[in-house]
Amino acid sequence: AKEINITGFKLWYTGKVRGKNGVGTMVDKVWKKSAVDIKKIGDKILAVIFMVAQETINIINAYAPQVGTEAHVKEKFWGRLGGIDIP
């Protein structure tokens, strides 16, 4: 996670290779205190769970494999995406 000092925004991200594959979610300073859980699944899936006024809000960012990617890589991605334990 990274605080964007000038704006007060917060960025959560996941990714191993800089400039390739990773995903992120950036929120305004009003929302960052409402985040109750961050789930990083590999370098292509990020889930941020917020609790706002007794409601749970789930934000999932995913970078799906593109055309030409090997089938086993796509199957692994979709398995991980389908296996996210969201409250």
Side-chain angles (χ1 to χ4, degrees):
K2 182 177 183 179
E3 294 281 337
I4 311 300
N5 294 334
I6 297 170
T7 62
F9 284 76
K10 179 129 185 181
L11 170 67
W12 290 280
Y13 57 91
T14 184
K16 297 175 187 169
V17 179
R18 185 178 175 97
K20 184 176 181 183
N21 294 339
V23 294
T25 299
M26 184 180 290
V27 297
D28 185 83
K29 56 188 167 194
V30 175
W31 285 86
K32 68 183 178 183
K33 294 179 182 178
S34 299
V36 294
D37 196 9
I38 303 348
K39 297 180 184 212
K40 297 178 179 183
I41 299 104
D43 62 348
K44 295 186 178 196
I45 303 171
L46 175 70
V48 182
I49 295 101
F50 297 93
M51 185 62 82
V52 179
Q54 307 299 323
E55 295 291 329
T56 302
I57 300 171
N58 303 292
I59 304 295
I60 300 172
N61 268 329
Y63 180 70
Q66 303 297 307
V67 172
T69 304
E70 295 179 22
H72 74 277
V73 173
K74 291 180 180 181
E75 289 170 8
K76 183 177 179 181
F77 169 82
W78 290 110
R80 284 181 164 179
L81 187 62
I84 298 174
D85 183 26
I86 298 294

